[in-house]
Amino acid sequence: MSCLEIMPKLGLTMTEGMLAKWHKSEGEKIEKGEILFEVETDKLTNEIEAKESGVVRKILVEEGETVKCLAPVAVIAGENEDISGLLKEAGVNGQEVAETKTEEKKSDNTAVEAGPKKVVVIGGGPGGYIAAIRAAQLGNKVTLIEKEELGGTCLNVGCIPTKTLLHSAELFSEIKDSRNLGIDVGEVSINWKNVQRRRKRVIKKLVSGVKGLLSYNKVNVINGFARMETENSLTVSKEGGKSEKIDFDSAIISTGSVPFAPLIPGIGLEGVIDSTGALELESLPETIVIIGGGVIGIEFASLFSSLGKKVTILEMLPFILPPIDRQISSMIADKLSKQGVSINTGCRVTSIEKGENGLKVDFTKGNDNLNVEAEKVLVAIGRRSNTEGLELEKIGVKTEKGRVCVDDYMRTNAGSIYAIGDCTGKIMLAHVASEQGVVAAENISGKNVKMDYKTVPSCVYTKPEIASTGLTEEQVKEKGIDYKVGIFPMGANGKAMISKEPDGIIKIIADKKTEEILGVHIMAPRATDLIGEAALALRLEATVDEVVTTIHAHPTINEAFKEAALAVQKRALNSVN
């Protein structure tokens, strides 16, 4: 029996879907109930089954195209059956779809002509390799250029190795304290060389995984340094002085960032290191000064202090972790202080020089001139965009202080050039770079997709962990929003007590009138995992009541999220309101 297969309506709010993949080609037989194609929306991906058995006589929509719900996408019929009537019917609807897509492309000039393209991605970090894979999925011929290791800063000298070392440090401190859990163990020591070996093994395995994914998606990987020549060509400098010219239809710049080195006298002395140097230490220093109380500095402070080392933090601002809700940052500062970390805020480093016990750091705090000595000095005051040598100015790509200027579609002012990740100077997080990579790849392929930064989660891997999404209390005050707050202490959560991590809170900020959740801030065990529910709540514009009426499992850390929502309404059940 012949039939028209249509774009299904998979939800009340769905109006269109992207045909992500065909499981059958024209001329192939298919049985009723077999998977025919995949549909992708902004919320989910679904496999769609054939309504009838027969032969796929005509495919009306190509992979990567977006069409309205209920529009025809294919004709299934007998091998010799007349399908002219169905094609006529499909042609009318297909014309309507084509007109809709044309209007969409005209609006705001955000979409470009669809069809396979030659796409070059410069940089193989979490933004670049994801962009390359997505561009390849959409049928483009993709080349990825990376001058060092695939995976970029995040995988090789950032997120992954840092968290690997932090995990070892966390286990070390737990084993040392195991008597309080009823477990007697002998003397415990840290084998730093083996910890470093494990770090390298984790990195090697993940880099291998990235290589495999790129190969599977038929992405051509070139090792070398790219320099722009025109808006549609570049030159790759390779080892041995060789070079290769590559032409492209579109390029995605994803060159990441590098540690920022301030102009402090003595910054070049031996023993002064950046975050990369800290990860590669051959032995643990007994004392270390960390310049900078941001995420990088605080994570390293947590690492070294957990291993029993003396840590001093010097931060210019009057508080640590400036992007984090102030109540949370104050709580983690107290926690670190109790662990023996010396935190100095509101101070300015004036010089670094050789001292009797290694290095001496001079700094001012108020009207006082102070100093501290340590074996190592870690400079962790942030990162800057890495665009040197790309010669973007040659092709007229607009930059500001080294940052590539882009719009919400990840386009630069040069029509064929896109940029993503840290090199844009927007939000320097790996998961943001990955999402920007998807947006750029899809827009190159003819879609009309904007970046939405509303639900970006931020994570700090201290003990306990910190995670945040949405507006902080300081931000809602600045915006003049009438709001209310619900706070649930982790000391009242059974799973936190079992895990011996009762310090912390879950804090929900909601609109006072509508009770829409505006921000969630967590200091708790596994906060970086828990923040996913909070980000989804913001994405769906959920209200406090929608969280409250969702049953949460017990005993879990997660149930504290519901209790915090109840606290917004002054009716928490497991703590005093």
Side-chain angles (χ1 to χ4, degrees):
M1 181 179 175
S2 61
C3 73
L4 279 176
E5 292 287 347
I6 62 171
M7 175 62 67
K9 188 173 178 63
L10 301 171
L12 292 174
T13 60
M14 180 178 171
T15 59
E16 63 181 16
M18 189 266 283
L19 204 151
K21 181 180 179 181
W22 282 107
H23 284 248
K24 297 288 183 179
S25 303
E26 282 188 9
E28 280 193 76
K29 290 183 178 180
I30 188 166
E31 297 296 325
K32 182 178 179 180
E34 265 194 283
I35 304 301
L36 178 59
F37 60 94
E38 292 180 15
V39 172
E40 189 174 298
T41 70
D42 61 346
K43 294 183 178 179
L44 46 80
T45 300
N46 271 294
E47 294 179 335
I48 308 303
E49 299 176 353
K51 294 186 295 183
E52 298 291 344
S53 299
V55 175
V56 181
R57 295 285 300 279
K58 186 69 176 175
I59 288 178
L60 305 170
V61 177
E62 297 298 321
E63 289 183 355
E65 285 193 70
T66 299
V67 296
K68 288 181 177 180
C69 291
L70 310 183
V73 297
V75 176
I76 292 179
E79 193 168 354
N80 299 311
E81 191 174 349
D82 182 15
I83 60 170
S84 57
L86 289 174
L87 287 174
K88 185 176 180 181
E89 181 183 346
V92 174
N93 289 330
Q95 181 64 33
E96 290 175 358
V97 173
E99 288 171 359
T100 301
K101 291 177 70 179
T102 301
E103 289 173 9
E104 190 178 80
K105 289 177 186 179
K106 287 179 180 177
S107 65
D108 202 27
N109 269 336
T110 54
V112 295
E113 184 180 349
K117 292 181 171 63
K118 289 189 291 183
V119 178
V120 169
V121 180
I122 306 171
Y129 85 76
I130 290 294
I133 289 171
R134 185 64 185 129
Q137 286 177 343
L138 293 169
N140 299 294
K141 185 179 180 181
V142 184
T143 298
L144 187 150
I145 302 164
E146 171 56 57
K147 66 183 178 71
E148 295 177 354
E149 289 288 344
L150 290 170
T153 294
C154 176
L155 203 159
N156 293 282
V157 290
C159 325
I160 298 300
T162 305
K163 279 56 178 179
T164 303
L165 299 184
L166 279 164
H167 181 67
S168 294
E170 182 178 338
L171 285 177
F172 174 70
S173 61
E174 286 183 4
I175 294 169
K176 281 178 64 179
D177 195 38
S178 62
R179 285 190 177 183
N180 289 320
L181 299 174
I183 303 170
D184 293 332
V185 297
E187 185 178 345
V188 182
S189 60
I190 192 81
N191 187 325
W192 186 247
K193 286 186 178 180
N194 283 343
V195 170
Q196 289 285 37
R197 286 193 187 102
R198 180 173 183 270
R199 172 183 66 87
K200 292 174 183 177
R201 285 198 304 271
V202 170
I203 293 170
K204 185 177 180 180
K205 186 169 184 177
L206 290 173
V207 169
S208 176
V210 172
K211 289 179 181 177
L213 285 169
L214 291 167
S215 176
Y216 176 80
N217 286 280
K218 297 180 173 57
V219 175
N220 178 35
V221 178
I222 297 176
N223 187 249
F225 188 90
R227 290 180 174 81
M228 306 304 298
E229 297 292 344
T230 70
E231 282 192 30
N232 294 103
S233 68
L234 57 79
T235 300
V236 181
S237 301
K238 303 179 182 179
E239 287 186 9
K242 295 180 180 179
S243 63
E244 179 180 352
K245 185 178 179 182
I246 297 175
D247 296 321
F248 55 83
D249 297 309
S250 296
I252 301 174
I253 300 168
S254 181
T255 49
S257 61
V258 293
F260 177 74
L263 297 174
I264 299 173
I267 194 84
L269 288 173
E270 184 179 350
V272 180
I273 56 177
D274 58 16
S275 57
T276 301
L279 289 170
E280 296 175 348
L281 286 170
E282 294 182 0
S283 60
L284 285 166
E286 291 301 317
T287 54
I288 186 167
V289 171
I290 299 176
I291 302 174
V295 173
I296 297 172
I298 294 303
E299 287 188 348
F300 275 108
S302 183
L303 168 66
F304 290 118
S305 63
S306 295
L307 297 174
K309 309 309 175 185
K310 176 61 180 173
V311 180
T312 301
I313 295 173
L314 303 177
E315 169 57 49
M316 183 176 67
L317 294 173
F319 43 79
I320 62 170
L321 295 173
I324 300 297
D325 187 272
R326 200 70 63 244
Q327 184 176 2
I328 299 283
S329 68
S330 296
M331 291 178 69
I332 201 66
D334 290 342
K335 178 76 173 177
L336 288 169
S337 295
K338 289 175 183 176
Q339 290 177 199
V341 177
S342 174
I343 300 176
N344 299 272
T345 56
C347 58
R348 186 174 66 88
V349 176
T350 54
S351 67
I352 305 169
E353 55 192 60
K354 290 183 178 180
E356 294 181 7
N357 299 309
L359 294 165
K360 182 166 73 78
V361 182
D362 296 310
F363 64 98
T364 60
K365 186 170 183 177
N367 296 321
D368 298 325
N369 295 314
L370 306 169
N371 64 72
V372 59
E373 293 194 2
E375 290 179 35
K376 299 287 184 183
V377 175
L378 168 59
V379 180
I381 63 170
R383 300 179 66 85
R384 61 178 178 81
S385 299
N386 179 31
T387 55
E388 290 179 11
L390 279 174
E391 299 187 7
L392 297 176
E393 65 283 353
K394 181 190 291 186
I395 61 172
V397 172
K398 184 180 178 182
T399 61
E400 289 180 0
K401 298 180 179 179
R403 301 185 295 268
V404 185
C405 300
V406 292
D407 60 17
D408 286 340
Y409 300 87
M410 309 319 300
R411 300 171 306 190
T412 69
N413 61 304
S416 60
I417 312 294
Y418 291 69
I420 62 172
D422 287 7
C423 70
T424 67
K426 288 189 175 291
I427 302 176
M428 291 188 173
L429 294 171
H431 42 280
V432 172
S434 295
E435 190 63 26
Q436 290 172 333
V438 171
V439 168
E442 292 190 348
N443 286 329
I444 284 171
S445 302
K447 297 184 182 300
N448 184 15
V449 188
K450 289 178 68 174
M451 266 301 293
D452 182 359
Y453 298 99
K454 178 182 176 182
T455 62
V456 173
S458 298
C459 301
V460 188
Y461 292 80
T462 49
K463 186 175 173 65
E465 294 178 345
I466 296 170
S468 174
T469 188
L471 300 174
T472 65
E473 192 165 358
E474 292 72 34
Q475 288 171 332
V476 292
K477 287 178 180 176
E478 287 173 7
K479 291 176 180 290
I481 298 171
D482 203 6
Y483 71 99
K484 52 184 177 179
V485 174
I487 295 174
F488 185 76
M490 296 313 298
N493 176 263
K495 188 65 182 292
M497 292 296 290
I498 291 167
S499 304
K500 210 171 176 294
E501 290 190 75
D503 298 322
I505 61 171
I506 294 184
K507 177 177 182 179
I508 295 178
I509 300 169
D511 184 276
K512 192 168 187 178
K513 183 178 180 181
T514 66
E515 291 196 341
E516 180 185 339
I517 295 172
L518 304 175
V520 179
H521 310 281
I522 306 172
M523 175 179 163
R526 301 298 177 193
T528 59
D529 298 321
L530 187 59
I531 200 63
E533 179 179 356
L536 183 60
L538 263 70
R539 177 72 179 85
L540 298 177
E541 299 179 354
T543 63
V544 167
D545 192 58
E546 287 169 320
V547 173
V548 166
T549 54
T550 300
I551 298 174
H552 289 64
H554 171 80
T556 61
I557 302 296
N558 182 242
E559 64 186 313
F561 186 71
K562 175 177 177 175
E563 286 283 351
L566 284 165
V568 173
Q569 299 176 342
K570 305 298 181 187
R571 59 188 186 103
L573 298 170
N574 286 285
S575 69
V576 177
N577 289 293

